[in-house]
Each structure stands twice: as C-alpha cells, then as structure tokens.
Amino acid sequence: MGQMRRLLLGLLAYGWALQPVVAQQDAQPSAGPFFVALHFAGGTGLVAVGGGYRLAHQRLEPEVLVGYLPAKVAGRAAAVLTLKASYIPFSPRLGHSSWEVSPVAAGGWLSYTTGQQYFLTNNSAGRYRPGYYWWSSAVRVGAFVGPRLTRVGHPGTRHTPRQTLYAELGTNDLYLVSALTNHTLRLTDILTLGAGVKGSW
Amino acid sequence: MNSWYSCGCTLALTGLVGCSLVEYSPNQTHMPATERALTNQALQRLQAHPKGKSDTVRFVFVGDTQRFYDETEQFVASVNRQRNIDFVFVAGDISDFGLAREFRWVHERLQQLQVPYLTVVGNHDLVGNGRAIYQTAYGPLNYTFRYGGTKFICLDTNGREYSFGARVPDVPWLQQQLQDTTGSRHTVVISHVPPTDEDFDPALVPSYTAALRGCPRLVFHLSGHVHRFSAGKPFHDGVTYLTTYSLAKHRYHIISLWGQRQFRLETVTYGPDA
C-alpha cells in the first residue's frame, strides 16, 4: 500500500501548501444555501439523487442521497441510502472568470442497502452466533478524494448560485481491509470511481 | 460541432462503463463476459483432455481462498510446479464478504493455474448478494461432472445461510445423483460445510449421511470450511469424510483416485514455510 500512502500524502501536502495562497476571494456566508445533487456510480447505486446544505463558509457539504440499484445490475432491485459529507479545503477562482477549480475535495460516506439478503449486523440476521460475521453486509462506510469544477453565478440577495461538476476516487471499508491484509492487492484494485453534479440557484 | 460533441460523449461513456473502477455497488452481480459461467468454462477445458474410464484421476484439493490473496498467488505458483494434475478444486468460501470484486480478485489469481479449477459454494460466498454473484461468476450451486471414471457431485451444504429449515442441502437431488451412475465407476461428493459441523442443517444430517451410506460406489466425502485437515468415519458407517486446509495454512492436498475405490492423499506445503 506504499503507492496509496504516497498518493494521499502528496494530495494532502499539495492542499496544505496551496491553502494560504488561494484564500477565497468573496466573503462567503457561514451557512447555506441548500443544494441538490445527482450522483453516478461510486458504490451508491447506478444513479442517486439528493441534496444537502452548505456549511463552514462553503467548505463543507453534508448531504443525503437515495440511490437506485436496478435488478439488471444487482440481480434484485435495491435502494442505497447514503449520508455523505464533502470537505472543500480550497477552491480558487480561475482568473476573473466565473469558474472555480478545487483539485482535492475529500470526504466520507455511510451507505445502507435495502433488501432482505443484507443484514445490518450478524445478530440481527438471527441465524448466527455473536461474532460469526464481524461486518455488516447492508452498511458500508467509505472515503473519497477528487476534483471539482464550479461555475459561480452572480451574487443574489442572499446566496451566490453555484453549479459543481465533480469526480470522486474512493474505496470502502471492506476493500480497505482486504488491501491492508494483502500486499498483492494494488491500489487500482480497491478504487471506485463516482461522479456527479450539484447545484444551488 | 454536434457530431464532435456526440462522439465525445459516446467515447466518455464507453470509457466509463468499460472501466472497472466504475462500480454501482460492491454487491453488484455484473461481471465481464469472460468472467461469467466459470464452472462451465472450466469443465469445457477439462473435457478437452478426456481420460479413459480406468485412468487415475489426480487433482489438487484445497478450501477457503477467502481474503488470502497473497497466499493464493503462492498456491498457484506451487501447483503450477506439480506434474500430472488434472484440475484444482476449491471447496468454497472463495470470497470473504460475498462481494463481486472479491470473486474477481480470486479468479484473477486462480486463472493463472495451468489446469482448470472448479469450486463449490461456501457460506461466505452466500453473504449479502453473494449467492447471485456466485451464480453469475461460477454457475449453479449444485452440479455434477464426470472425469475419467469418477462422478463428482458438488453441492451447497451451507444450511445456516438459509436459516436451516431442512431445504439445504437438497437431499432428494443428492440421492438422485448418487443413484445415477451411468458412465462412472465411483463417486465423490464435495461440499463446503461437512455434516459434522454446526453450520450444517442438523435436521438433514440423518438423511444426508444415510444417502451417502447407501452408495457403495462412494469413495469419500470432501469438505472445506474448518480450515484444517481431518479424516475419519465420524458416523461409524464406513463412509470416509475428509476436510482440507484453507489457503492461510500454506498447505494443500493432492488426491489420486483409481481402481474401485482406491485413493491416495498427498500433502504439499508451499510459501514461506516450505
């Protein structure tokens, strides 16, 4: 996993080095507005819709997504409910344009997949002795990093409209456990790719 | 402009769908076309080298590759150094969490074997959406094949995964398969959970063991699940039950079958301790 460590450390160092240089240009409201999101893949269903609320001067985006997993993809159709939070450490404006680029947004998520075949804990399944399976097959947690491109609109009375296009490279708890216990699993083996758009008007 | 735009979109979409990083759920059943129906693929490869009814059949038997990817690579290297092996049999728990990528990670390694490999479903392969994933990747949970003079009956005995209920293993199917002896001299039954284990449906132990007892051509019953070697006649009825190592134990068995019910069991140690 040396490859992964180097990548993560590199991204973090890049973020810290740039942060003081590219302080946000506009004074941002400390909270709000609400935004809507449309997300593809990344382990949260074929497609997921949802929304959230911006916090910490536009740097933190907690959101809720409801994903759809069609029968064609998973044998049986299911919903994937996801709680997610993205942190945008810096988002410099491209010159005097209306575009902002954030190279490393990062975040985490927790998802729940519906369906009788998934158990919350092995105790709730009712057929195993305690500790038989230590993980939940219905709940996954994960983390991601990825770039964002944001179009900033004209400041309104209360909020500045923003539409963001983003991609996320991430992994989940069980993939990470697999990689940490096996040298022969490569970083690309455990990565997942997701992408989406979110916006407020 | 428009044609460039649509061309770009098509390219981007194909790229994304073809890219294995794009995943809708770790529980998705989707597999690339070459990684579907692997049991059938392996049987076709095996039958391409047919054996006479009186020839010795020699195969590697091991269990539980679950999350032992490093060991699986060492195992493959060791098996590829053996001579006169007909096939490899993995006695279930191919995956640990029943996730699609785990099956692919294991197959990526086992497909490096010079001989075909076959599997039977394990309890870990049935967790979450694992059953549907196993069926897509490998095929039926209960199946049989003949090689040389031997009929192999492979079946799902992971009763606990079905909350017991006297449905799994499918004993009537087993009885039928044991009775149908056309084209074979002797029979081997392979399952993941042995009937001596607490994860085997207790209600079906009597009928399951009785079916095996009633088959004079049965050489033995093979299982994984317990991650260690054991051999004996636990039901005191003349039927031999063997269990094998998991990949973590750095050991596997080579089983040779010949004559009426003769067999030989060799143990191979591999990896750092070998």
Side-chain angles (χ1 to χ4, degrees):
Chain A
M1 293 309 292
Q3 193 189 0
M4 184 182 217
R5 205 170 299 133
R6 272 198 301 278
L7 181 77
L8 288 178
L9 283 176
L11 285 175
L12 273 179
Y14 179 64
W16 282 115
L18 272 181
Q19 196 164 17
V21 183
V22 288
Q24 307 244 339
Q25 294 172 344
D26 310 321
Q28 301 291 352
S30 65
F34 285 100
F35 61 88
V36 293
L38 181 66
H39 184 86
F40 299 94
T44 54
L46 173 67
V47 60
V49 293
Y53 191 68
R54 294 206 176 97
L55 294 172
H57 301 277
Q58 310 289 307
R59 289 187 195 281
L60 190 64
E61 292 178 352
E63 64 191 292
V64 179
L65 293 167
V66 180
Y68 171 58
L69 200 54
K72 209 171 175 181
V73 172
R76 213 182 289 181
V80 185
L81 312 172
T82 304
L83 297 176
K84 180 175 153 188
S86 310
Y87 178 67
I88 307 103
F90 54 102
S91 193
R93 190 74 74 95
L94 285 181
H96 296 288
S97 73
S98 54
W99 297 91
E100 285 179 359
V101 175
S102 172
V104 278
W109 51 263
L110 181 147
S111 77
Y112 174 82
T113 306
T114 62
Q116 270 193 332
Q117 72 267 48
Y118 306 106
F119 55 75
L120 196 57
T121 72
N122 83 121
N123 293 344
S124 69
R127 50 182 180 262
Y128 311 113
R129 61 180 149 70
Y132 190 88
Y133 296 129
W134 57 264
W135 70 97
S136 163
S137 64
V139 175
R140 292 275 63 74
V141 293
F144 61 85
V145 289
R148 295 159 58 107
L149 179 67
T150 300
R151 195 173 74 99
V152 186
H154 293 293
T157 46
R158 290 178 59 208
H159 295 290
T160 308
R162 282 164 193 276
Q163 292 89 42
T164 299
L165 177 71
Y166 63 88
E168 293 168 354
L169 273 176
T171 192
N172 67 48
D173 51 343
L174 298 184
Y175 290 171
L176 193 62
V177 164
S178 302
L180 291 175
T181 49
N182 288 277
H183 300 297
T184 61
L185 280 187
R186 301 174 303 266
L187 176 63
T188 48
D189 287 328
I190 65 160
L191 283 182
T192 63
L193 181 63
V197 287
K198 51 175 80 169
S200 56
W201 287 268
Chain B
M1 174 68 193
N2 232 345
S3 66
W4 277 111
Y5 179 75
S6 56
C7 184
C9 277
T10 316
L11 267 177
L13 272 177
T14 350
L16 278 177
V17 172
C19 173
S20 63
L21 295 185
V22 175
E23 181 178 273
Y24 305 124
S25 162
N27 301 299
Q28 68 190 32
T29 51
H30 177 81
M31 292 277 168
T34 53
E35 295 174 39
R36 288 178 218 152
L38 293 173
T39 301
N40 251 336
Q41 289 190 37
L43 289 177
Q44 277 174 20
R45 267 183 74 194
L46 187 64
Q47 303 305 349
H49 302 278
K51 279 220 158 172
K53 216 174 152 184
S54 55
D55 290 341
T56 299
V57 172
R58 194 160 176 266
F59 65 99
V60 166
F61 185 59
V62 76
D64 309 75
T65 51
Q66 57 184 101
R67 200 152 50 84
F68 302 127
Y69 304 104
D70 295 353
E71 292 83 352
T72 302
E73 286 196 1
Q74 296 161 3
F75 165 78
V76 168
S78 171
V79 172
N80 281 345
R81 285 195 293 272
Q82 303 288 345
R83 287 170 176 273
N84 303 320
I85 301 289
D86 296 315
F87 61 90
V88 169
F89 201 100
V90 182
D93 281 2
I94 291 110
S95 70
D96 197 16
F97 311 118
L99 304 179
R101 275 202 199 190
E102 295 186 280
F103 285 95
R104 299 193 61 194
W105 293 336
V106 171
H107 177 65
E108 187 184 308
R109 286 158 178 79
L110 292 183
Q111 71 173 347
Q112 306 295 327
L113 286 164
Q114 281 158 14
V115 294
Y117 81 94
L118 291 152
T119 64
V120 69
V121 72
N123 57 302
H124 281 255
D125 304 322
L126 294 167
V127 172
N129 210 26
R131 186 181 354 169
I133 297 168
Y134 180 90
Q135 286 169 329
T136 306
Y138 288 99
L141 308 184
N142 297 338
Y143 71 97
T144 68
F145 65 97
R146 282 189 193 83
Y147 194 61
T150 310
K151 177 174 184 176
F152 292 87
I153 303 174
C154 315
L155 79 165
D156 179 4
T157 56
N158 308 292
R160 185 178 295 280
E161 294 306 315
Y162 301 85
S163 303
F164 298 134
R167 287 173 295 121
V168 175
D170 188 340
V171 177
W173 179 85
L174 174 65
Q175 283 166 335
Q176 200 187 332
Q177 295 305 324
L178 287 167
Q179 278 160 20
D180 176 14
T181 53
T182 30
S184 62
R185 269 181 309 135
H186 45 226
T187 304
V188 169
V189 175
I190 313 182
S191 78
H192 178 64
V193 174
T196 43
D197 195 90
E198 59 170 23
D199 296 328
F200 193 102
D201 191 337
L204 292 177
V205 172
S207 57
Y208 187 83
T209 53
L212 299 180
R213 193 179 306 134
C215 177
R217 291 163 172 249
L218 183 72
V219 185
F220 44 42
H221 181 281
L222 303 175
S223 294
H225 192 54
V226 294
H227 294 213
R228 59 184 164 78
F229 169 62
S230 71
K233 295 174 179 167
F235 300 98
H236 311 290
D237 55 2
V239 178
T240 302
Y241 290 81
L242 295 176
T243 63
T244 190
Y245 302 103
S246 74
L247 270 282
K249 300 293 169 67
H250 292 106
R251 285 194 181 96
Y252 60 88
H253 287 120
I254 300 177
I255 296 175
S256 308
L257 297 168
W258 73 94
Q260 275 311 306
R261 282 168 54 186
Q262 277 93 333
F263 71 89
R264 189 167 68 141
L265 194 69
E266 299 160 72
T267 305
V268 180
T269 305
Y270 65 92
D273 303 335

